[in-house]
Amino acid sequence: MDTLYRQTNKQIHEVQTHMGQLEKADAQFVHLVENEIQARIDQIFSNLERLEILTSKEPPNRRQNAKLRMDQLKYDCQHLQTALKNFQHQRYTREQQEREREELLSRTFTTNDADTSIAIDESLQFNTSVVNAHKGMDDLLGSGSSILTGLRDQRMTLKVLLL
């Protein structure tokens, strides 16, 4: 158990050293260093799983101390994993910003000389159609009203004749 603990602790320190190299690495080799660090972190996690099993087999008087040491290693390893993910996120964001900046710099902008046009033809045509439909409905209601008035007048005429 102690040998595995020391080996895992040594691996954690090596990963911390590699994290320092990661910040100084060239853009071409960053992926290789990241992959190497991730592989070492995975190896540390597998060692921690074995340490957890071995810790549960320790005698009761040494078990609590062994568990504390193992928990500290877990915390350190999780901290390294988080630091790697943060670095990857920052690198991705920086690369994306550089791509967008290059895209903007490579784009050619021109002035809006005679090509400027405002597309109001469709809106104007739609408005004209709505106004015409409104007038048509007014005419329809007016003729309906005239018809009803004519029918009332006829009814009154028929009532007067029948009486």
Side-chain angles (χ1 to χ4, degrees), residues 131-150:
V131 168
N132 289 339
H134 185 64
K135 285 180 183 176
M137 288 301 293
D138 284 344
D139 292 342
L140 184 65
L141 289 173
S143 70
S145 176
S146 299
I147 292 171
L148 284 176
T149 304

Side-chain angles (χ1 to χ4, degrees), residues 24-102:
K24 298 174 187 174
D26 290 338
Q28 300 169 351
F29 302 111
V30 169
H31 296 293
L32 297 175
V33 176
E34 284 178 357
N35 291 341
E36 183 180 339
I37 290 173
Q38 187 60 51
R40 288 179 184 230
I41 289 174
D42 292 342
Q43 178 64 38
I44 291 170
F45 273 123
S46 69
N47 285 353
L48 288 173
E49 289 174 4
R50 284 190 282 158
L51 267 174
E52 193 168 0
I53 292 170
L54 292 174
T55 301
S56 64
K57 294 180 181 179
E58 283 287 312
N61 58 347
R62 293 179 52 196
R63 187 177 302 154
Q64 185 173 3
N65 187 27
K67 179 136 177 65
L68 286 173
R69 290 169 52 191
M70 187 202 59
D71 286 344
Q72 182 62 42
L73 287 178
K74 272 187 182 179
Y75 173 79
D76 291 343
C77 190
Q78 288 172 347
H79 177 73
L80 289 173
Q81 181 75 40
T82 304
L84 178 63
K85 286 184 179 181
N86 285 340
F87 180 82
Q88 288 172 334
H89 177 70
Q90 288 173 352
R91 181 181 53 80
Y92 173 75
T93 304
R94 188 172 47 249
E95 287 174 356
Q96 184 176 1
Q97 287 173 349
E98 287 174 8
R99 280 193 304 271
E100 290 172 356
R101 188 177 305 117
E102 286 299 319

Side-chain angles (χ1 to χ4, degrees), residues 110-118:
T110 59
T111 59
N112 296 337
D113 294 332
D115 296 338
T116 304
S117 63
I118 301 173

Side-chain angles (χ1 to χ4, degrees), residues 8-20:
T8 306
N9 197 20
K10 182 180 177 187
Q11 287 176 340
I12 286 176
H13 289 296
E14 289 173 359
V15 169
Q16 288 172 343
T17 305
H18 277 77
M19 291 293 283

